[in-house]
Amino acid sequence: MRNTPQDRPDIRTVIAERVSRRGFLLGSGAALGAVAAQGFVGSLFSGAAHAQDAASSLMFSELTRVFDDNHHVADGYDARVVVGWGDPMKAGDGPIDVGTMTAAQQADRFGYNCDYVAYMPLPRGSQTSDHGLLCVNNEYVSANVMFPGMTEDDVPTMLTAEQVAICNMAIGHSVVEIKRVDGVWGVVQDSAMNRRFTLETEFAISGPVAGHDWMKTSYDPTGTKVRGTNYNCGGGVTPWGTVLTCEEGASDTFGGDIATTAFPEVLERYGFDGSDYYARAKFDPRFDISKEPNEPNRFDWVVEIDPYDPTSTPVKRTALGRMAHEAATTVLNKDGRVVVYMGDDDYFEYVYRFVSESIYDPANPASGKDLLDAGTLSVAVYNADGTMNWLPMVQGTGPLTVENGFASQADVLLKTRLAADALGATPMDRPEDMETNPVTGRVYAIMTKNKKMSADKLNSVNTRPENFWGHIVEMIPPGGVGADADHTADSYTWDLFVLAGNPKDPATGSTFHPATTDNGWFVTPDNLTFDPKGRMFVATDGANDFDIPDGVYGVDTEGAARGLPKLLFTCPMGAEATGPCFTPDGTTLFVSVQHPAEDSATLEDLTTRWPDFTGTNLPRPAVVAITRQDGMEVAS
Ligand code: FEO
Ligand code: CA
Ligand code: CA
Ligand code: CA
């Protein structure tokens, strides 16, 4: 999701509100109730349960935070750029000044605002950790630091047709072959597998919504193919070696009046306001809802890409629901069904799960083809007693009836949010990434923050009014540990893993381990991954509002140091850390440094020229590889 200036609390506002909340906490029964609600989890981290000096299993010297124009990594580690905005991906292309790049050049070069990263080993099916495909989402563009003379507010009115075309070619997804030689990762520029997906690439539409009347446009009267993908945020990797890239909310990318459509209440529920922030509708009528009313229905899906086959057609899998998809984490359940966990990243949205109807057979990778087209989508309800239920979203059951506007399963999926409302799902503090710990089988869901939360809307799993700091929910499937966990069960138990925030500020209600240092606490978690040993690595998005850099923190989830974060890496000013991803052997941690310098008013007043620092270059979002200088496993 693009963080608009309105989304970012001014730090002075944050501090003022913290101060006033201290008084509020002392005097308000409602707020004390909220603290009590988190108390059963807080008790895990306080008092005698953990020694102050509990040893982290993460073997590195914690980085000291420096909030400046460069990235930083812990002593004994390197963090080198592997590939960044505008880098060549085709034989014969050379380096380029991204400030002079045309749309045609951008179409063949690495995209902007790198987000999710999947490392896909080469050859396919291997566990190779020095040669693979780096599959990277390019979420959106930060036009105020790409083009001269425009603030964020100027973008919709100042972008020219050529600049809009550059933006449209800079988003989507990039696949690049990479190799590690003498410990350093580099791009194989002439690889036939290097590929860009943009707002002009053709995608197939599959699953229950394919061919629905609401999906038909003048470009595609069949409702089965669509040009482009947009706001590709998080993602996932399937057991059969494809990549899921998630469309996270196309609402601000369309112009026109939703009242002219047959489904204004649906577009309103999905946030479409005709703002046309990137001036796409101004130059292309397909982004004008008044002219092409069904086009918005063709975004906000999970897209499956086969990176190993450069001729393959990517597919939007509608069975996984329509929402601001943050990510799509897959688990091969012990019975062979494939489970996908997904968060809908917007205020008070929900947590979802998909369970495939058919079984995946690892001995026959072809059995994964179209497996994600049939199955059951469910939405989460968290109960105050520490249990949770997955409510199936099946047409004809419960409130999902013809009378309520759900005439088919396609209707349920096109209106996923409305169906989840009807089922009474639990509204969350902006669900971002979800991941499963491969060692324990427990599932973690990040709630990044929710400044709109108020005392009257709190629930047992979202416990803080004006949650500026975010938290991580732990979900425990029944059936056993690791591979024995049953990710298809109707009910799990849950816990609050950590409430983020500065532990020295009691107003945050932070529940990090008591041994957490001044460098180790974090705010606004967004993405996470696990290393081969099952240690969590969290990437943050929004820490700059607290005058600290965004970065990557290792966190134990088990043992005496459970909930103890340690700082490994920080971003330059304006950038978030995202897309953390390990090689199978754990020796490299890839991280996207997204939107460096985005906090700058304009290109003429940059907070950083990361990563090139030539004196005149533009800042460039880029993927870095974090490696130990001795080549051994990270944090081990
Ligand atoms: Fe694109 Fe939810 O961050
Ligand atoms: Ca982002
Ligand atoms: Ca994100
Ligand atoms: Ca985010």
Side-chain angles (χ1 to χ4, degrees):
M1 170 187 272
R2 183 174 63 92
N3 284 319
T4 65
Q6 296 72 30
D7 279 334
R8 300 187 199 117
D10 182 277
I11 190 66
R12 287 173 298 277
T13 315
V14 172
I15 291 165
E17 287 177 329
R18 278 187 208 152
V19 170
S20 70
R21 196 171 311 103
R22 283 197 190 97
F24 181 66
L25 277 168
L26 290 172
S28 160
L32 287 172
V35 171
Q38 59 194 236
F40 76 96
V41 175
S43 64
L44 289 173
F45 298 94
S46 57
H50 290 294
Q52 289 283 333
D53 59 352
S56 170
S57 77
L58 294 146
M59 294 291 116
F60 60 88
S61 304
E62 186 168 66
L63 177 64
T64 299
R65 270 201 269 258
V66 183
F67 189 29
D68 67 6
D69 62 351
N70 213 342
H71 69 271
H72 300 276
V73 70
D75 276 350
Y77 286 77
D78 291 317
R80 293 192 181 92
V81 169
V82 181
V83 62
W85 177 40
D87 281 348
M89 293 169 54
K90 272 201 164 170
D93 282 352
I96 200 168
D97 173 357
V98 287
T100 66
M101 189 163 48
T102 65
Q105 288 169 322
Q106 175 66 82
D108 288 334
R109 288 169 178 269
F110 194 79
Y112 202 84
N113 272 347
C114 40
D115 200 299
Y116 176 74
V117 176
Y119 170 84
M120 307 296 282
L122 283 169
R124 182 178 205 147
S126 73
Q127 292 288 295
T128 314
S129 289
D130 57 6
H131 186 199
L133 298 174
L134 207 60
C135 304
V136 184
N137 280 345
N138 301 112
E139 187 181 25
Y140 68 100
V141 283
S142 307
N144 62 308
V145 287
M146 293 169 72
F147 306 115
M150 63 178 84
T151 66
E152 281 186 318
D153 288 343
D154 295 330
V155 168
T157 51
M158 283 190 66
L159 281 177
T160 65
E162 173 64 10
Q163 287 170 339
V164 171
I166 292 168
C167 295
N168 293 352
M169 291 297 120
I171 60 170
H173 190 89
S174 303
V175 176
V176 283
E177 184 176 338
I178 57 168
K179 255 186 186 166
R180 177 159 50 178
V181 178
D182 296 333
V184 178
W185 287 96
V187 170
V188 181
Q189 197 187 319
D190 57 358
S191 169
M193 284 179 279
N194 291 351
R195 188 177 181 189
R196 282 297 321 282
F197 301 84
T198 72
L199 200 55
E200 297 297 335
T201 307
E202 190 164 285
F203 292 74
I205 300 166
S206 75
V209 179
H212 190 283
D213 280 347
W214 287 16
M215 298 293 275
K216 297 173 181 171
T217 65
S218 53
Y219 166 75
D220 168 32
T222 66
T224 57
K225 59 179 186 176
V226 57
R227 263 162 65 209
T229 190
N230 197 353
Y231 275 116
N232 302 72
C233 187
V237 171
T238 67
W240 48 95
T242 60
V243 172
L244 302 177
T245 165
C246 293
E247 299 183 329
E248 191 194 30
S251 55
D252 73 354
T253 214
F254 281 81
D257 182 1
I258 64 170
T260 62
T261 70
F263 34 77
E265 74 289 353
V266 178
L267 292 183
E268 186 177 7
R269 184 68 181 79
Y270 280 83
F272 287 88
D273 57 5
S275 61
D276 193 23
Y277 180 74
Y278 294 104
R280 292 187 171 121
K282 192 164 147 188
F283 300 109
D284 184 347
R286 84 177 160 115
F287 294 107
D288 185 334
I289 295 170
S290 304
K291 294 176 181 148
E292 201 66 80
N294 291 342
E295 188 71 5
N297 300 332
R298 293 141 63 79
F299 292 86
D300 297 355
W301 303 103
V302 172
V303 185
E304 185 172 6
I305 288 172
D306 181 354
Y308 295 104
D309 178 2
T311 66
S312 59
T313 302
V315 185
K316 298 198 180 187
R317 301 280 182 198
T318 63
L320 298 172
R322 178 190 186 192
M323 64 194 77
H325 280 287
E326 171 72 21
T329 299
T330 65
V331 183
L332 182 56
N333 202 54
K334 57 186 173 182
D335 65 359
R337 286 184 286 173
V338 173
V339 176
V340 188
Y341 290 105
M342 299 171 285
D344 181 354
D345 180 11
D346 213 334
Y347 300 97
F348 304 109
E349 292 300 343
Y350 307 124
V351 167
Y352 295 85
R353 183 188 72 177
F354 172 86
V355 179
S356 70
E357 189 178 288
S358 302
I359 297 230
Y360 174 65
D361 173 10
N364 174 25
S367 62
K369 184 172 161 34
D370 301 331
L371 193 81
L372 300 179
D373 281 344
T376 303
L377 184 67
S378 301
V379 67
V381 167
Y382 296 84
N383 306 309
D385 65 358
T387 63
M388 61 172 292
N389 307 103
W390 293 103
L391 306 181
M393 307 181 72
V394 178
Q395 193 275 335
T397 65
L400 306 183
T401 59
V402 178
E403 302 74 56
N404 288 337
F406 303 101
S408 64
Q409 187 60 25
D411 286 353
V412 171
L413 295 166
L414 275 161
K415 301 190 261 190
T416 301
R417 284 183 173 176
L418 290 86
D421 293 344
L423 286 163
T426 302
M428 309 294 283
D429 285 348
R430 284 190 53 195
E432 297 248 25
D433 202 359
M434 297 179 70
E435 293 290 333
T436 302
N437 185 325
V439 174
T440 67
R442 294 184 173 196
V443 183
Y444 295 83
I446 283 183
M447 304 304 131
T448 192
K449 59 184 169 185
N450 183 358
K451 65 174 182 195
K452 297 182 183 176
M453 180 54 94
S454 52
D456 59 321
K457 291 183 179 152
L458 297 174
N459 53 51
S460 56
V461 69
N462 300 277
T463 57
R464 293 180 290 180
E466 294 172 307
N467 178 4
F468 294 121
W469 315 280
H471 59 284
I472 303 178
V473 181
E474 180 180 64
M475 302 188 288
I476 308 160
V481 172
D484 288 331
D486 182 6
H487 294 273
T488 68
D490 295 335
S491 300
Y492 294 6
T493 57
W494 66 271
D495 210 338
L496 288 172
F497 176 57
V498 289
L499 305 183
N502 183 349
K504 287 195 171 149
D505 178 354
T508 67
S510 160
T511 62
F512 286 120
H513 189 287
T516 301
T517 72
D518 285 344
N519 293 301
W521 61 268
F522 60 76
V523 290
T524 55
D526 187 330
N527 290 99
L528 75 163
T529 193
F530 288 89
D531 75 357
K533 293 188 167 71
R535 284 95 54 89
M536 177 188 284
F537 287 76
V538 175
T540 71
D541 170 19
N544 288 191
D545 294 325
F546 297 82
D547 283 339
I548 58 172
D550 277 312
V552 178
Y553 300 77
V555 194
D556 280 306
T557 64
E558 306 303 312
R562 175 179 152 96
L564 173 58
K566 277 182 76 174
L567 178 60
L568 175 66
F569 172 82
T570 58
C571 289
M573 293 178 99
E576 71 169 275
T578 184
C581 168
F582 280 96
T583 49
D585 67 359
T587 61
T588 300
L589 173 59
F590 297 105
V591 177
S592 282
V593 173
Q594 194 189 74
H595 54 71
E598 193 185 55
D599 55 338
S600 314
T602 66
L603 206 50
E604 291 71 32
D605 186 20
L606 290 169
T607 54
T608 180
R609 291 186 185 273
W610 190 88
D612 304 318
F613 297 110
T614 63
T616 57
N617 70 285
L618 270 55
R620 295 189 304 130
V623 179
V624 300
I626 297 172
T627 51
R628 249 170 74 166
Q629 284 162 353
D630 63 6
M632 304 296 281
E633 198 175 336
V634 171
S636 294

